[in-house]
Structures are given as C-alpha cells and as structure tokens.
Amino acid sequence: MNVLFNGENVEVNASSLAECLVLLGVSDQHIATAVNGEFVPRSQRHQLQLTEGDRLEVVSPMQGG
C-alpha cells in the first residue's frame, strides 16, 4: 500500500502503524506519531490499522535551547 511518510510517498506491506514503523526503520520508543493529522499514542500503534493513502508523520524530540 502507498502511504505518505513525512511528506514522501512510500510503499509498505504493513497493516498496523507499529508494523509500518518497523519496516521504515523508525521503531524507536522516543518518537511521536500522527496519522492523517491525529496524534497516535505509542500504546495505540499496534491497534491502528493503516489504509491506502494515509499520511504518517513521525518526529523525534530534540534538545537545545
């Protein structure tokens, strides 16, 4: 299925957000995720089923100031 990952079209063979993150190499615990503009808590990533064309956003916290 095709999804938009951080602004780039990617083809993934995953049904859940958690599976997709592993396939994309971003399965780190210290990230924030959103699907179609809605925040998805880590505890719900395995349950959230993706569909064709979903927009995934993944961000990592940064230190600085």
Side-chain angles (χ1 to χ4, degrees), residues 5 12 14 16-28 31-33 45 50 56-58:
F5 173 68
V12 293
S16 73
L17 175 57
E19 291 174 1
C20 185
L21 294 173
V22 170
L23 290 174
L24 294 172
V26 290
S27 60
D28 183 32
I31 59 172
T33 56
R45 292 178 190 160
L50 297 175
L56 313 178
E57 295 292 331
V58 176

Side-chain angles (χ1 to χ4, degrees), residues 1-64:
M1 112 178 64
N2 284 313
V3 296
L4 194 62
F5 173 68
N6 286 352
E8 294 186 33
N9 284 312
V10 295
E11 175 79 23
V12 293
N13 187 19
S15 58
S16 73
L17 175 57
E19 291 174 1
C20 185
L21 294 173
V22 170
L23 290 174
L24 294 172
V26 290
S27 60
D28 183 32
Q29 298 278 341
H30 303 290
I31 59 172
T33 56
V35 175
N36 299 324
E38 296 290 324
F39 173 72
V40 179
R42 181 178 8 170
S43 63
Q44 295 178 11
R45 292 178 190 160
H46 285 285
Q47 297 142 345
L48 190 125
Q49 298 298 302
L50 297 175
T51 59
E52 183 77 23
D54 277 345
R55 293 175 293 121
L56 313 178
E57 295 292 331
V58 176
V59 293
S60 299
M62 297 179 63
Q63 293 183 348

